[in-house]
Amino acid sequence: MRATFANLFASCNLAAFFRTRHNHAMSVLRWTLILIPMSVAVGSLCAAFLWSLDVATRTRFAHPWMLFLLPLAGGAIGLLYHWMGKSVEGGNNLIVEQVHEPGGGVPLRMAPLIFIGTVVTHLFGGSAGREGTAVQLGGSLASAFGKFFRLDESSTRIILMAGIAAGFGAVFGTPLAGAVFALEVLAIGRVEYSALVPCLVAGVVGDWTCHAWGIHHGAYHIEYVAGAAGAIMTEPLLLGKAALAGVAFGLAGLLFAEANHSLGGLFKRLVPYGPLRPVIGGILVIALVYILDTRDYLGLGVWSPDPKAPTIAGFFSAPVDHWSWLLKMIFTVVTLSSGFKGGEVTPLFFIGAALGSAMAGVLGAPIDLFVGLGFVAVFAGAANTPLACTIMGVELFGATNIVPIAIACFVAYLCSGHSGIYLSQRIAVPKTGGGLLPPDATLRDARAVRPQPSISEILSLGSATINGNEPMAHKHQVNASEIGMIRIYMKPGDKATKGSIKTLWSSKPLYRALVAQAKSEGIMNAVAHHTHYGFSNHGPVMEAGVEISNPHLTMCVELIDHRDTLERFCAAHGDLLASKVIVYKHLEHWSIGPKGVDHEDATPQELATE
């Protein structure tokens, strides 16, 4: 009897073993059939893009007068996105958001729109890059493949990351860096290992495909080697200089990101009509050319027919360059923040290489080595991807200098703070004390909660005295007004069906549709709150991970305005809200203003702008 049970147990274990191996093999085969064609498509499109970009750059150099058409080109790009691309204006941030919370997907039209917009930007002299285009090409095609194969949410996240890896690896010729970039860019301090192999496969296949089309990438060389030839560099003094330079590289990445976001916000406030912004940006770029008397900072900056012009390749062998990094930053920030299309990374390579040259002069360090350090480290700080940038440095310059490369990238990452070029990037592990940052916060949230002067500091004049005796008179007063708030509870997966509320091409998450509709109807404030830990309707207690919310937990959309306005909004969209739990709460709105000014009758719009 024992032998019978033992044989039965062994046969069951053997069957389970083979069943597991069979399922694993079928999963590998399935992903291979999806990833290979997707990566080939992305690599081919990136090859066409790089070829078009080269033709556009050569045409611009051959016909300098084309710069004067930059405002018209900007207007054309603005109109194209205004008419056809409102749902894809988020660009790279939209792809990152879709990886975190798969919803409506990345529209396929993102690919042709960003392709055309970037080539036109470079053809007429805008200072932009190419990484953003490659990532959006990859994300758009990957999303289309995911929809075609009817992938679930988990698989959709993986294929979107693989699309990013394929695009990044193909456009820069760095497949390993592309794979790690796709895993690392989603959340600060955390790497998404679930997509490790798919991203590696996609990055390698995308790069191979791009090379198969005859596209070649620029070659960069660092001649300096410390100690014995081929040895890993471990000179303490030199590594200390690399760390000091890393501080400058991180601050440069921080400055670039904040300048880009701030100027972009200013453009949107001053010029509400989107297509007009790149027209003004084009005029400003032309003005910069004549004010500074140079065209050297237009376009990519990878090469130039003028051997004396500052270029990325030229910094490795040229004398110390002190200010090209700042001038390129100004041209690029004006171009991108006004609405022209392209990426930030190649300009960041230029800025980093130029700043590395300047730091080499200040620190008395080898120029070509520090140019290479700046090349990858400024990007590491601006994108918060130190591992990917370290690997990129190895792929571009060789492993001999991996130690100073890693030091520069890691220090730059720490010194750039909770800032970056991708505002949808989440903060999984804060670089410093979390402070006011909630779980699952994004860089956009971090910018919103940065320390500001407190109300107590503003109103602390009462504690000050004149000549140590009499308190100073208050110059301001608190003005209160009646206001209300509703919270509409729902699940993250609830959809706004097409036609029921303003949607473009397909249904979108209800919470996003409600916020967008509230914006269009002039509601004072509208925000969506995701739930991280709790229970709903007497159900079990559940929690959400750091990188993606639990789709079964209740979330809410919070609207703030006068009660009658909120009632009209709910009545107008009762078909969507009839089954939702809605809670109303009375609030007071406080505003600080000069004495004698009564804000009781102010409109929500007036209150919102104070």
Side-chain angles (χ1 to χ4, degrees):
M1 183 66 70
R2 287 183 180 176
T4 302
F5 278 114
N7 292 336
L8 181 61
F9 182 75
S11 62
C12 289
N13 278 347
L14 190 61
F17 173 82
F18 281 110
R19 185 165 54 252
T20 302
R21 301 286 77 78
H22 172 268
N23 293 340
H24 184 259
M26 293 304 296
S27 177
V28 171
L29 177 61
R30 174 172 171 263
W31 274 110
T32 301
L33 293 176
I34 296 174
L35 288 174
I36 298 298
M38 185 274 292
S39 303
V40 169
V42 173
S44 298
L45 202 53
C46 286
F49 167 66
L50 292 175
W51 179 85
S52 301
L53 210 57
D54 186 63
V55 172
T57 301
R58 293 180 186 277
T59 302
R60 176 174 60 83
F61 279 131
H63 305 286
W65 55 266
M66 296 183 71
L67 174 64
F68 298 102
L69 299 179
L70 184 61
L72 294 178
I77 295 172
L79 287 172
L80 182 65
Y81 271 78
H82 183 71
W83 290 334
M84 301 179 61
K86 285 187 176 180
S87 64
V88 299
E89 284 183 331
N92 292 353
N93 286 305
L94 173 62
I95 297 174
V96 173
E97 290 169 0
Q98 285 299 309
V99 173
H100 285 303
E101 297 179 18
V106 181
L108 185 58
R109 62 186 175 278
M110 174 183 276
L113 288 175
I114 192 62
F115 190 114
I116 295 170
T118 304
V119 172
V120 170
T121 295
H122 285 276
L123 178 62
F124 293 96
S127 176
R130 52 196 177 184
E131 152 273 342
T133 305
V135 169
Q136 291 176 51
L137 290 176
S140 179
L141 289 180
S143 181
F145 271 79
K147 291 177 181 177
F148 179 81
F149 287 100
R150 302 179 183 275
L151 300 181
D152 58 20
E153 286 192 359
S154 177
S155 299
T156 297
R157 297 182 71 238
I158 291 175
I159 198 170
L160 283 175
M161 285 186 274
I164 294 173
F168 193 99
V171 83
F172 292 122
T174 54
L176 297 182
V180 177
F181 175 82
L183 304 173
E184 189 180 20
V185 73
L186 303 177
I188 293 175
R190 178 163 297 177
V191 177
E192 183 67 65
Y193 281 102
S194 62
L196 185 63
V197 174
C199 285
L200 178 61
V201 171
V204 172
V205 173
D207 180 48
W208 282 351
T209 303
C210 192
H211 281 288
W213 284 105
I215 300 299
H216 301 286
H217 302 88
Y220 306 102
H221 300 285
I222 297 177
E223 301 295 337
Y224 182 85
V225 177
I232 295 294
M233 189 182 305
T234 55
E235 292 184 359
L237 180 58
L238 192 61
L239 297 185
K241 293 179 179 179
L244 288 175
V247 174
F249 298 147
L251 294 177
L254 170 64
L255 176 61
F256 178 89
E258 289 302 308
N260 205 25
H261 300 320
S262 298
L263 187 57
L266 182 62
F267 266 113
K268 291 177 181 178
R269 288 195 299 272
L270 298 181
V271 188
Y273 185 58
L276 185 58
R277 295 175 205 139
V279 175
I280 297 174
I283 294 172
L284 291 176
V285 170
I286 295 173
L288 285 172
V289 167
Y290 282 90
I291 291 173
L292 300 174
D293 192 27
T294 179
R295 294 183 178 224
D296 293 341
Y297 305 103
L298 302 176
L300 282 172
V302 174
W303 68 276
S304 172
D306 181 4
K308 296 182 180 179
T311 62
I312 295 176
F315 289 129
F316 284 85
S317 57
V320 171
D321 188 311
H322 294 287
W323 296 110
S324 284
W325 66 273
L326 181 59
L327 297 176
K328 182 64 174 178
M329 184 180 295
I330 293 172
F331 274 85
T332 305
V333 167
V334 171
T335 298
L336 295 179
S337 63
S338 62
F340 284 95
K341 301 304 174 183
E344 301 94 344
V345 175
T346 304
L348 285 170
F349 289 163
F350 185 108
I351 293 167
L355 182 57
S357 176
M359 292 302 298
V362 172
L363 299 173
I367 293 178
D368 60 343
L369 173 61
F370 274 62
V371 168
L373 299 185
F375 184 109
V376 291
V378 171
F379 176 38
N384 296 297
T385 54
L387 296 177
C389 290
T390 299
I391 294 173
M392 174 178 278
V394 173
E395 288 186 291
L396 292 175
F397 312 127
T400 302
N401 301 307
I402 187 173
V403 175
I405 289 173
I407 289 175
C409 289
F410 293 174
V411 172
Y413 163 77
L414 290 174
C415 291
S416 65
H418 292 143
S419 179
I421 55 179
Y422 308 120
L423 289 180
S424 293
Q425 195 174 41
R426 297 192 176 183
I427 304 173
V429 181
K431 300 182 186 181
T432 57
L436 299 175
L437 293 178
D440 221 16
T442 64
L443 292 184
R444 186 178 288 106
D445 299 327
R447 296 186 82 243
V449 300
R450 281 179 188 160
Q452 301 292 335
S454 66
I455 295 295
S456 60
E457 291 173 340
I458 295 174
L459 301 179
S460 62
L461 294 176
S463 62
T465 60
I466 301 176
N467 297 326
N469 297 314
E470 299 297 328
M472 295 177 61
H474 292 303
K475 297 180 180 179
H476 295 80
Q477 65 183 11
V478 175
N479 302 291
S481 62
E482 300 293 325
I483 206 74
M485 175 186 74
I486 60 172
R487 285 190 167 183
I488 307 168
Y489 292 89
M490 66 196 70
K491 290 183 178 180
D494 288 350
K495 300 291 184 181
T497 56
K498 186 177 180 181
S500 62
I501 201 169
K502 283 189 176 179
T503 54
L504 291 173
W505 296 92
S506 61
S507 63
K508 63 190 300 185
L510 177 58
Y511 72 92
R512 289 181 176 271
L514 287 174
V515 171
Q517 188 68 15
K519 177 68 174 178
S520 67
E521 295 186 15
I523 298 293
M524 180 176 168
N525 285 87
V527 294
H529 298 284
H530 286 275
T531 305
H532 302 284
Y533 184 73
F535 64 91
S536 304
N537 298 323
H538 305 286
V541 176
M542 295 184 289
E543 63 180 332
V546 174
E547 295 190 12
I548 184 168
S549 298
N550 188 324
H552 303 293
L553 277 174
T554 300
M555 63 169 293
C556 75
V557 172
E558 180 182 280
L559 306 181
I560 297 178
D561 211 311
H562 290 300
R563 178 167 184 151
D564 56 346
T565 302
L566 297 175
E567 288 180 351
R568 286 196 301 270
F569 181 87
C570 292
H573 305 294
D575 54 337
L576 290 175
L577 303 179
S579 63
K580 306 301 179 188
V581 175
I582 304 176
V583 177
Y584 175 82
K585 185 176 182 180
H586 168 75
L587 302 173
E588 273 192 358
H589 179 279
W590 284 13
S591 60
I592 309 301
K595 272 192 174 181
V597 178
D598 186 9
H599 288 199
E600 180 69 25
D601 298 325
T603 65
Q605 289 77 16
E606 291 170 340
L607 293 173
T609 57
E610 292 182 355

